Amino acid sequence: MAEAEAGAVQLKEEGNRHFQLQDYKAAARSYGQALKLTKDKALKATLYRNRAACGLKTESYAQAASDASRAIDINSSDIKALYRRCQALEHLGKLDQAFKDVQRCATLQPQNQSFQETLWRLNTSIQEKLRVQFSTDSRVQKMFEILLDEHSEADRLEKAANNLIVLGREEAGAERIFQNNGVALLLQLMDTKRPELVLAAVRTLSGMCSGHRARATAILHAVRIDRICSLMAVESEEMSLAVCNLLQAVIDSLSGEDKREHRGKEEALVLDTKKDLKQITNHLLDMLVSKKVSGQGRDQALNLLNKNVPRKDLSVHDNSRTIYVVDNGLRKVLKVVGQVPDLPSCLPLTDNTRMLASILINKLYDDLRCDPERDHFRKICEEYITGKFDPQDMDKNVIAIQTVSGILQGPFDLGNQLLGLKGVMEMMVALCGSDREADQLVAVEALIHASTKLSRATFIITNGVALLKQIYKTTKNEKIKIRTLVGLCKLGSAGGTDYGLRQFAEGSTEKLAKQCRKWLCNPSIDTRTRRWAVEGMAYLTLDADVKDDFVQDLPALQAMFELAKTSDKTILYSVATTLVNCTNSYDVKEVVPELVQLAKFSKQHVPEEHPKDKKDFIEMRVKRLLKAGVISALACMVKADSAILTDQTKELLARVFLALCDNPKDRGTIVAQGGGKALVPLALEGTGVGKVKAAHALAKIAAVSNPDMAFPGERVYEVVRPLVSLLDTQRDGLQNYEALLGLTNLSGRSEKLRQKIFKERALPDIENYMFENHDQLRQAATECMCNMVLHKEVQERFLADGNDRLKLLVLLCGEDDEKVQNAAAGALAMLTAAQQKLCLKMTQVTTQWLEILQRLCLHDQLCIQHRGLVIAYNLLAADAELAKTLVESELLEILTVVGKQEPDEKKAAVIQTARECLVKCMDYGFIKPAS
């Protein structure tokens, strides 16, 4: 027993030592171990009190308050524990409880100035909080009175609704609405059935649910998921989107995706949200197959499932949400994919619905972890499709083929397996020959989607081309004509960009493209059908003759851009692919001459480059695209708030942007048309390759543009992280170089931007490139550092012991490269002006410092000479002994010669600085003025 107590005392002492060394976590551990050993109440109180102090230092305020309370339970007059609990409660926002604790401290020690100040401060804060609370309460009450009064004027109604939405987005406002019976009043607003009031209620609820799990749970139960889903099912796009945002806010809060810091009560409430999340998923799946749900509602349900079911990070092992949806909802998703708009049994759809369902199938399939899971998925699809085949019912057969067609747009390897099912290809061929146009439409589309891979396409080339040509010649229906043409385009482009591997006769692809462009420009054809013309161009523009003709056809280009801006988002991928082809921004394998010779010798096929795929032709196409308004179309495409804007599509858009930014002369046009803003989201989300391409395009823009114009407002701070990511040594030299130029431009704009660059940990990378052998990289890194040294924390890095940062700068001032010299001298001038200690340190880092300084002060380039003289002045002003060393060297002679020069406008700054140096020497009494 005595041993345990002695051990506890020893651990307490150890904890105290850790605390003095500011290792608060280790101290807390020692106190915690001591608590397990001791039974002594007085020692326990001390240990709890000490651990509370550690909690305050590490900002673990809930733990600190709990420990202080335990110390107070042992001794109610423990003044240190009372004050520590007061500090913790204040940080947790519990001002009234904190006030009581400090009041007790002040009663026990009335003379303590610190207690009196805290008492006064908390009292003021509580009064302010009450004032805001009561004014907020009365405002909330007033708003609801206006909104629920049938006789309120329209403008008063609108103002009250908007104020309520704004209030719901603020934490304090949301809490006041919630505490004042606000949810019940919002439900009353929803009961009015007046669209503008229902919208206001939904948007207010969205704000209230954001970032607050307990409130989101309470609201979900009060409003009920079935009511939320029935609201999302309405025809109105605005309403559907608002309800979708509400559900997303609820899901984020319940699943902990809101990324907000929870403290106090909110942290203590451990709610089991799995049941609620499962209920939301079930309702969304039911919406997919309900006739009562509008096309807009179905799209939003699919968007929510796309966003929230598959894992965002595949390194997380748990894919239970996907497994649950596959088991309970895959057949429902397949039903949506298999909808045929021309059949009477079709559910209400938009242009985007089936594509969203295909994307969901693709995401679910990609989220599976092992072969048994994928086999189970495939079996469900096979059973669903084969269950539809019926010799007596043609409609069912059409739905089966339409389902296969939809899966081919999702996970292609699964679709390819389904094509091999008995009867699928035969049914496609049979439907092509059907008398019903609806059957032909579905069959032709299925054939097009089936011919994506070269291996599969060769099978269809032998069987399908004759069939498609037959339909093309005989059909009178433009819709079918366009689709068969796209099938032929796709089969014709199976050789890719290889000039020598063409499936069709010379000139055929140009004829097909001409027909596609004609349809594209024909406004009398419906949008969905014209979309297929863009799809055709996506394949045909692999041919350089076709893309060159296309960019010269301004009406066709602008017609495609206008289609890209419509509500039909299924066109995004085709437009993006066409633009990638036109700008040649796809990856091209490097041709090794030796391997080409070897291939020719062994009679293997060698890929050939088309003459019009050479650099000058690409530059001409880029110019024409910019002139036609490609940037506004791209900006519109990036804003698409839909799962159809997949990571692959984002990557294509990033490739196009990078190709467009290649020529510095075009970057001003790109910025003026909003290209800078559009690039930011592409650099933050998407595939790894896509993010790098977008970041590189951002770097090109940031390097030469005014950041305030290119990235207005707060958006400029979002540009920093993508640029810093390009400093990675795995990126190529051009990306490193242009990222450094962009960061140099940004770091010269404001202190806030320098702080952001520092926080993104860019400094070690910038320093690494200052050691680089490559002249341009070293120069760019030094120029960036020249701007960064204005930041206080960067200066502290130079002041710290045990590093060669300052030595490197001094040695770079002695380089032969004048641009590096200029940047390094600029950085050194600012550092020595800001930190006197660095003036002394500079003389200790290398024996060559004086020689380098003298060379700077004699430099031919006036800007470098001026910076050298500023460094000399800073050293003279820093310390008398150091000044004496400088005066005794040849520097005095240099300063005298420079200072005595005849006045000259160009040299004014140089001469003035040299004279200021000489005046400083006179102040010390080292030299006397000439009589």
Side-chain angles (χ1 to χ4, degrees):
M1 191 72 182
E3 274 180 29
E5 291 298 335
V9 171
Q10 209 169 352
L11 282 164
K12 186 194 97 169
E13 296 302 329
E14 184 186 290
N16 291 351
R17 283 196 296 278
H18 283 309
F19 193 89
Q20 281 165 353
L21 293 168
Q22 298 182 355
D23 189 352
Y24 304 117
K25 285 183 179 173
R29 276 198 300 276
S30 299
Y31 297 140
Q33 287 166 347
L35 281 164
K36 289 174 189 171
L37 297 177
T38 185
K39 293 277 188 286
D40 184 326
K41 280 194 172 182
L43 182 57
K44 270 193 163 183
T46 305
L47 290 165
Y48 278 126
R49 187 173 69 207
N50 289 2
R51 196 165 71 174
C54 296
L56 288 172
K57 293 288 186 185
T58 56
E59 297 182 14
S60 311
Y61 300 119
Q63 182 63 47
S66 166
D67 282 339
S69 296
R70 288 180 174 184
I72 294 161
D73 289 343
I74 297 167
N75 176 9
S76 59
S77 301
D78 187 334
I79 202 156
K80 283 186 180 175
L82 278 164
Y83 191 58
R84 280 168 196 170
R85 185 169 73 178
C86 157
Q87 289 172 294
L89 290 168
E90 184 182 355
H91 280 291
L92 291 169
K94 300 174 182 179
L95 301 184
D96 45 349
Q97 293 174 38
F99 184 77
K100 283 177 188 170
D101 280 348
V102 77
Q103 208 170 23
R104 179 130 175 72
C105 292
T107 310
L108 291 167
Q109 278 188 17
Q111 257 59 55
N112 189 313
Q113 194 63 36
S114 183
F115 296 160
Q116 295 298 337
E117 283 172 10
T118 307
L119 197 63
W120 181 81
R121 189 181 71 249
L122 284 174
N123 185 35
T124 310
S125 300
I126 289 166
Q127 295 305 323
E128 179 60 21
K129 193 177 176 185
L130 287 169
R131 187 185 66 74
V132 171
Q133 191 171 311
F134 285 124
S135 65
T136 306
D137 287 355
S138 58
R139 271 167 65 206
V140 170
Q141 221 55 50
K142 188 88 179 137
M143 282 176 219
F144 278 118
E145 279 171 23
I146 295 168
L147 291 167
L148 293 167
D149 181 1
E150 291 176 18
H151 307 296
S152 290
E153 295 163 16
D155 57 338
R156 283 190 76 200
L157 264 178
E158 190 184 344
K159 196 174 176 186
N162 288 337
N163 286 343
L164 198 63
I165 294 165
V166 170
L167 208 57
R169 287 179 187 151
E170 298 165 5
E171 177 50 39
E175 193 54 35
R176 294 323 309 154
I177 297 172
F178 189 73
Q179 299 293 353
N180 283 349
N181 194 32
V183 178
L185 292 168
L186 287 166
L187 285 171
Q188 280 184 31
L189 275 187
M190 287 160 87
D191 289 335
T192 61
K193 301 279 191 292
R194 289 171 64 181
E196 70 278 17
L197 296 186
V198 179
L199 256 177
V202 168
R203 284 172 176 160
T204 307
L205 287 168
S206 285
M208 291 169 69
C209 290
S210 293
H212 200 296
R213 189 177 292 183
R215 208 159 48 219
T217 308
I219 288 170
L220 180 67
H221 292 175
V223 185
R224 296 194 327 277
I225 182 65
D226 55 328
R227 183 171 188 178
I228 294 173
C229 288
S230 67
L231 260 180
M232 196 160 79
V234 299
E235 273 304 334
S236 160
E237 185 179 355
E238 194 178 16
M239 179 67 75
S240 213
L241 185 60
V243 180
C244 173
N245 290 337
L246 166 60
L247 262 179
Q248 188 60 58
V250 170
I251 293 167
D252 283 348
S253 294
L254 296 188
S255 59
E257 291 284 329
D258 54 57
K259 305 278 185 292
R260 299 206 193 173
E261 206 177 308
H262 298 303
R263 285 183 173 166
K265 279 184 194 170
E266 177 63 16
E267 196 172 40
L269 277 167
V270 181
L271 300 159
D272 183 20
T273 57
K274 284 181 184 165
K275 195 176 167 187
D276 288 328
L277 286 167
K278 195 169 274 188
Q279 195 187 15
I280 293 171
T281 304
N282 286 333
H283 272 83
L284 291 174
L285 289 169
D286 290 341
M287 282 182 77
L288 298 186
V289 290
S290 167
K291 276 252 181 198
K292 293 177 185 172
V293 175
S294 69
Q296 293 290 349
R298 214 176 308 282
D299 284 4
Q300 297 303 351
L302 283 163
N303 270 327
L304 285 166
L305 289 166
N306 265 311
K307 195 169 180 185
N308 299 295
V309 174
R311 291 169 293 170
K312 291 180 179 67
D313 180 4
L314 292 178
S315 63
V316 176
H317 199 62
D318 178 25
N319 68 341
S320 54
R321 284 188 291 197
T322 293
I323 299 296
Y324 180 80
V325 170
V326 169
D327 290 340
N328 298 281
L330 182 55
R331 287 172 187 82
K332 292 173 182 175
V333 185
L334 288 169
K335 183 173 179 177
V336 178
V337 159
Q339 293 300 301
V340 180
D342 298 329
L343 295 183
S345 62
C346 185
L347 297 166
L349 306 173
T350 70
D351 293 334
N352 302 321
T353 312
R354 287 188 59 245
M355 178 61 88
L356 283 167
S358 291
I359 288 166
L360 179 57
I361 291 172
N362 192 34
K363 285 189 171 182
L364 294 172
Y365 190 72
D366 283 348
D367 201 40
L368 300 174
R369 287 202 324 256
C370 56
D371 286 344
E373 286 179 2
R374 283 185 274 272
D375 289 340
H376 173 59
F377 192 101
R378 194 191 72 249
K379 276 177 190 149
I380 294 174
C381 295
E382 284 179 1
E383 284 166 18
Y384 183 85
I385 290 160
T386 50
K388 290 284 176 196
F389 284 141
D390 185 347
Q392 308 303 316
D393 188 345
M394 206 55 178
D395 285 0
K396 281 189 171 179
N397 295 329
V398 174
I399 288 169
I401 296 303
Q402 184 81 316
T403 309
V404 174
S405 185
I407 295 170
L408 281 163
Q409 291 175 78
F412 188 80
D413 57 335
L414 173 65
N416 236 342
Q417 287 175 320
L418 296 174
L419 283 175
L421 278 177
K422 190 170 182 288
V424 171
M425 288 306 270
E426 292 83 348
M427 183 56 71
M428 274 193 204
V429 175
L431 288 176
C432 280
S434 166
D435 298 332
R436 289 200 310 180
E437 284 180 346
D439 301 353
Q440 287 189 4
L441 269 178
V442 169
V444 171
E445 285 190 19
L447 268 176
I448 293 167
H449 296 310
S451 60
T452 299
K453 287 276 164 77
L454 193 58
S455 58
R456 183 61 64 181
T458 49
F459 165 79
I460 291 173
I461 282 168
T462 53
N463 300 277
V465 169
L467 199 64
L468 289 171
K469 280 186 176 172
Q470 183 60 32
I471 297 172
Y472 184 69
K473 283 173 188 168
T474 55
T475 186
K476 296 281 184 286
N477 187 327
E478 286 280 271
K479 292 181 180 181
I480 293 171
K481 220 175 178 65
I482 289 182
R483 283 162 176 78
T484 50
L485 182 76
V486 173
L488 291 167
C489 293
K490 196 167 181 183
L491 299 173
S493 71
T497 55
D498 184 354
Y499 184 45
L501 190 66
R502 291 185 162 200
Q503 303 282 359
F504 289 164
E506 188 79 42
S508 304
T509 38
E510 282 96 302
K511 281 181 193 168
L512 292 173
K514 202 170 181 182
Q515 187 58 58
C516 278
R517 299 206 313 266
K518 199 169 149 190
W519 275 319
L520 197 53
C521 297
N522 186 348
S524 62
I525 302 173
D526 67 291
T527 308
R528 271 186 70 202
T529 309
R530 282 164 72 207
R531 193 192 90 218
W532 281 96
V534 180
E535 188 98 2
M537 291 309 293
Y539 300 116
L540 291 171
T541 46
L542 284 164
D543 182 299
D545 287 316
V546 171
K547 54 184 145 187
D548 221 55
D549 291 344
F550 183 42
V551 294
Q552 290 179 52
D553 186 345
L554 191 63
L557 268 185
Q558 289 179 334
M560 180 175 82
F561 295 157
E562 287 312 308
L563 281 175
K565 296 174 188 176
T566 61
S567 60
D568 179 357
K569 299 301 171 200
T570 54
I571 201 169
L572 293 179
Y573 191 79
S574 309
V575 175
T577 307
T578 306
L579 290 172
V580 164
N581 292 342
C582 289
T583 54
N584 284 46
S585 46
Y586 39 72
D587 289 327
V588 181
K589 283 184 182 171
E590 200 176 331
V591 178
V592 182
E594 291 81 3
L595 290 178
V596 172
Q597 293 303 321
L598 195 65
K600 282 179 179 173
F601 181 73
S602 57
K603 294 188 169 53
Q604 295 289 320
H605 173 72
V606 180
E608 296 175 38
E609 188 188 37
H610 194 291
K612 288 186 180 175
D613 275 332
K614 293 199 166 24
K615 197 169 189 305
D616 47 348
F617 279 95
I618 298 169
E619 285 173 3
M620 190 58 74
R621 288 200 287 271
V622 164
K623 286 263 184 288
R624 290 207 161 106
L625 285 169
L626 285 168
K627 201 173 176 184
V630 66
I631 296 296
S632 62
L634 289 171
C636 196
M637 290 162 78
V638 171
K639 283 181 196 160
D641 186 20
S642 165
I644 293 177
L645 184 63
T646 58
D647 287 350
Q648 285 69 31
T649 309
K650 286 179 189 172
E651 183 187 315
L652 295 178
L653 295 175
R655 285 174 181 276
V656 175
F657 264 121
L658 183 56
L660 296 173
C661 291
D662 194 48
N663 187 337
K665 290 176 185 173
D666 296 331
R667 293 174 201 168
T669 311
I670 293 166
V671 167
Q673 293 175 6
K677 288 182 284 186
L679 266 168
V680 175
L682 294 177
L684 298 172
E685 289 173 6
T687 64
V689 173
K691 288 195 284 191
V692 170
K693 300 269 183 201
H696 192 186
L698 272 178
K700 284 178 181 290
I701 287 175
V704 297
S705 311
N706 178 345
D708 301 337
M709 287 175 69
F711 318 107
E714 295 296 303
R715 197 170 266 114
V716 69
Y717 300 106
E718 293 175 30
V719 177
V720 173
R721 183 171 296 170
L723 295 195
V724 173
S725 73
L726 290 181
L727 298 181
D728 192 313
T729 47
Q730 289 181 320
R731 306 275 80 85
D732 66 47
L734 183 63
Q735 291 169 340
N736 301 152
Y737 176 66
E738 295 192 308
L740 285 166
L741 292 185
L743 289 169
T744 303
N745 200 2
L746 293 180
S747 58
R749 298 305 295 176
S750 71
E751 176 56 26
K752 208 171 168 188
L753 272 167
R754 286 190 285 275
Q755 187 178 7
K756 176 71 177 164
I757 294 168
F758 183 82
K759 281 192 171 170
E760 290 294 343
R761 300 193 176 91
L763 210 66
D765 290 324
I766 297 168
E767 286 168 350
N768 283 344
Y769 289 112
M770 287 168 72
F771 283 102
E772 184 66 48
N773 286 330
H774 192 288
D775 288 347
Q776 283 175 296
L777 273 175
R778 190 167 71 246
Q779 175 202 321
T782 312
E783 284 175 353
C784 190
M785 184 59 80
C786 182
N787 285 344
M788 286 301 294
V789 294
L790 289 167
H791 184 53
K792 197 102 176 114
E793 288 177 83
V794 177
Q795 292 169 14
E796 283 166 12
R797 291 281 184 100
F798 277 90
L799 279 167
D801 293 327
N803 69 71
D804 286 335
R805 289 187 181 92
L806 193 63
K807 181 178 180 177
L808 176 64
L809 265 190
V810 176
L811 292 175
L812 287 175
C813 287
E815 285 275 316
D816 292 333
D817 185 327
E818 289 183 350
K819 287 184 176 175
V820 172
Q821 256 190 316
N822 193 35
L828 204 53
M830 285 186 278
L831 282 169
T832 49
Q835 301 285 347
Q836 274 194 343
K837 286 181 185 173
L838 288 175
C839 296
L840 295 167
K841 191 175 177 181
M842 177 183 156
T843 64
Q844 296 155 8
V845 290
T846 171
T847 53
Q848 299 167 317
W849 70 272
L850 189 54
E851 184 192 333
I852 290 169
L853 180 60
Q854 288 169 355
R855 278 175 60 196
L856 286 179
C857 294
L858 283 168
H859 207 284
D860 299 338
Q861 293 285 337
L862 291 177
C863 55
I864 299 175
Q865 186 181 18
H866 180 239
R867 291 175 181 203
L869 290 165
V870 170
I871 297 167
Y873 177 81
N874 294 338
L875 298 187
L876 287 165
D879 179 74
E881 280 301 311
L882 178 54
K884 194 176 179 188
T885 308
L886 291 171
V887 170
E888 286 168 357
S889 73
E890 290 171 14
L891 189 70
L892 180 60
E893 198 179 328
I894 294 167
L895 293 173
T896 310
V897 170
V898 176
K900 282 185 174 178
Q901 286 181 89
E902 288 301 313
D904 179 347
E905 201 177 320
K906 286 181 184 174
K907 296 181 179 178
V910 169
I911 296 168
Q912 180 60 30
T913 311
R915 288 177 180 175
E916 283 169 10
C917 290
L918 292 168
V919 170
K920 200 79 202 162
C921 294
M922 282 193 271
D923 291 346
Y924 283 123
F926 296 145
I927 59 171
K928 290 185 178 136
S931 55

